Each structure stands twice: as structure tokens, then as C-alpha cells.
């Protein structure tokens, strides 16, 4: 099964968004466009996206603020697409957590290359084994997780949730991310049912404060 890359483009230039969107769709990607940064931030809370393409000059909210807001709550890749040529904007965007900065105008083929480059980096990060300092040991072949050497007795859904949290340790994870990335969770699962499963995981780990609840968003597995 081919997995489609789902992109949210936050861009108020309708013509540019249309050109880029059509180009990326022709490559087999899914592109949703929002010109309103507030609506875009709301959608990121409710939907799963693999990558964000973000303009800096937006109505009502500067793109740098949008970048900071996204990065504070999610680990989604961000590519800045901006006509602002000030080096300070580029430095600030990268400091705020943007993964790449593409100055306008540019050839759409360069955007395609940047998208694949950024996504490869994220895949490599997720594939990196846990460090020896972690109290968790994740064995994906055996579908087992140990905490401080103790094997945890987990259901398939609980294993999937905790395994995903371990890979994203230290980052905020939304409930929507869990629904889209944990195959053992039904896509129609409610936030309440996920909260119940996380509660069971906390009990089985034995340290309830290790998984922090982030109000209105989801959770963070503390380092």
C-alpha cells in the first residue's frame, strides 16, 4: 500500500498556493491549504499532517509566531516558504524549530526535493535506537517494552501507544497522532477511550507522572 504524504500549506497567496498544490498533487501528495493562520493552527490540533509549508507574511499573525506555536505543541516537519529575504527572519525561523527555509521565488521541483529531504531526516530520527540512558527498552520485533528492566504486560493498543511515545520521547503528541500512527487503535476511537488506555499504561509503568497530560492536545513522555 502506498502511503500518501499529507501536507498543510499555510499561504495567503492564492495563485501561488494553487500552482504549488497542483504540482505536489501530481506527484501523489495530498495538499490542504489555509490562508488564515488561526484556522491552520486549529486544523493541526484536530488532524494529522506529515509536513507543514509555512509562509511568513500572513493576515493577523506573523508566520514566525505560527512556527513557534506549532513547534511548542507538535513535532511535525516545517518548511518555511517566504519572500522575506532578511537573514534575521531565516535565522529566527530555524531557531524557532523550522526544518528548512526556502526563499521565494523558487522552482517547485526544489520544494519537492526539500520535502523529501526533511521527511527522510525525520524517518532517520525515528529509526535511531534509544540511548542507553533511557529507562525504556523497546523490542519492536517481539512487541515488548521493558521499563527499568521489568517487562510490561501491555495489550496491543497499549503497546502501540507507548512505543510511539517512546519514539517521540520529550515531544508533545496529540491524540490524533496516536489514532493515525497506532494500528491497534480504531480510527473512530474517542479522546476518552485513548485517555483510559493511557491511564492503564501509567498504572503498569508504576510512575504516573512519567506521562504528562497536555491540556487540549494530548501527552508527553518525559525524558
Amino acid at each position: 500500500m502506498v502511503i500518501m504524504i499529507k501536507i498543510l500549506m499555510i499561504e495567503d497567496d492564492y495563485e501561488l498556493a494553487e500552482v504549488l498544490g497542483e504540482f505536489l498533487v501530481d506527484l501523489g501528495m495530498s495538499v490542504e491549504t489555509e490562508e488564515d493562520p488561526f484556522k491552520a493552527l486549529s486544523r493541526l490540533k484536530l488532524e494529522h499532517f506529515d509536513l507543514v509549508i509555512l509562509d511568513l507574511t500572513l493576515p493577523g499573525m506573523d508566520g514566525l509566531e505560527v512556527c513557534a506555536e506549532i513547534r511548542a505543541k507538535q513535532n511535525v516537519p516545517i518548511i518555511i516558504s517566504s519572500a522575506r529575504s532578511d537573514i534575521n527572519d531565516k535565522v529566527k525561523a530555524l531557531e524557532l524549530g523550522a526544518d528548512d527555509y526556502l526563499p521565494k521565488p523558487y522552482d517547485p521541483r526544489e520544494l519537492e526535493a526539500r520535502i523529501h529531504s526533511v521527511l527522510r531526516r525525520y524517518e532517520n530520527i525515528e529509526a535511531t535506537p534509544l540511548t542507553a540512558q533511557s529507562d525504556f527498552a523497546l523490542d519492536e520485533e517481539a512487541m515488548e517494552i521493558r521499563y527499568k528492566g521489568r517487562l510490561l504486560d501491555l495489550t496491543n493498543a497499549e503497546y502501540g501507544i507507548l512505543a510511539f511515545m517512546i519514539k517521540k520521547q520529550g515531544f508533545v503528541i496529540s491524540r490524533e497522532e496516536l489514532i493515525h500512527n497506532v494500528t491497534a487503535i480504531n480510527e473512530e476511537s474517542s479522546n476518552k477511550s485513548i485517555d483510559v488506555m493511557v491511564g492503564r499504561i501509567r498504572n503498569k509503568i508504576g510512575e504516573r507522572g512519567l506521562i504528562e497530560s497536555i491540556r487540549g492536545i494530548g501527552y508527553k513522555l518525559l525524558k
Side-chain angles (χ1 to χ4, degrees), residues 6-199:
K6 187 177 180 183
I7 296 172
L8 177 63
M9 186 184 304
I10 309 174
E11 171 65 69
D12 68 340
D13 184 332
Y14 175 79
E15 291 185 2
L16 176 63
E18 188 174 35
V19 169
L20 293 177
E22 289 178 356
F23 176 81
L24 297 175
V25 167
D26 286 343
L27 294 172
M29 302 182 194
S30 168
V31 182
E32 301 286 336
T33 303
E34 285 291 348
E35 63 177 30
D36 185 325
F38 299 99
K39 289 182 179 178
L41 289 171
S42 295
R43 290 193 65 176
L44 282 166
K45 290 180 182 179
L46 300 172
E47 302 175 52
H48 169 77
F49 290 95
D50 298 301
L51 183 136
V52 172
I53 298 172
L54 173 63
D55 186 17
L56 292 187
T57 305
L58 296 166
M61 187 177 189
D62 188 80
L64 292 174
E65 295 177 70
V66 178
C67 181
E69 183 79 11
I70 295 171
R71 186 53 74 232
K73 297 177 180 178
Q74 291 180 288
N75 193 33
V76 62
I78 302 171
I79 295 178
I80 302 296
S81 166
S82 177
R84 280 159 48 174
S85 58
D86 190 335
I87 186 62
N88 292 324
D89 283 329
K90 182 174 183 179
V91 170
K92 185 65 175 177
L94 296 173
E95 287 177 344
L96 290 171
D99 297 280
D100 207 341
Y101 193 105
L102 197 53
K104 299 175 183 174
Y106 52 80
D107 190 306
R109 291 174 297 178
E110 184 175 2
L111 176 60
E112 176 196 1
R114 300 289 186 101
I115 289 171
H116 289 301
S117 176
V118 168
L119 291 176
R120 278 197 302 271
R121 291 205 301 270
Y122 271 70
E123 288 171 2
N124 289 337
I125 289 171
E126 291 188 5
T128 301
L130 297 174
T131 63
Q133 287 76 23
S134 176
D135 289 326
F136 289 97
L138 172 60
D139 184 340
E140 293 189 89
E141 288 190 7
M143 291 185 64
E144 291 181 348
I145 300 175
R146 295 178 183 271
Y147 179 66
K148 293 183 177 180
R150 174 172 56 87
L151 180 64
L152 301 178
D153 181 17
L154 304 169
T155 66
N156 285 345
E158 291 165 0
Y159 164 82
I161 290 171
L162 184 54
F164 188 73
M165 286 183 172
I166 290 170
K167 292 176 183 178
K168 299 280 189 178
Q169 197 164 358
F171 291 102
V172 176
I173 301 168
S174 69
R175 294 177 180 86
E176 290 72 27
E177 282 184 276
L178 291 174
I179 290 172
H180 284 91
N181 288 278
V182 179
T183 55
I185 296 180
N186 190 307
E187 288 195 3
E188 297 178 357
S189 295
S190 65
N191 288 347
K192 184 175 180 180
S193 65
I194 293 175
D195 291 342
V196 169
M197 285 186 277
V198 171

Side-chain angles (χ1 to χ4, degrees), residues 198-211:
V198 171
R200 292 202 300 259
I201 293 170
R202 286 186 175 119
N203 290 334
K204 291 177 179 182
I205 292 173
E207 296 185 28
R208 294 188 60 83
L210 197 60
I211 300 177

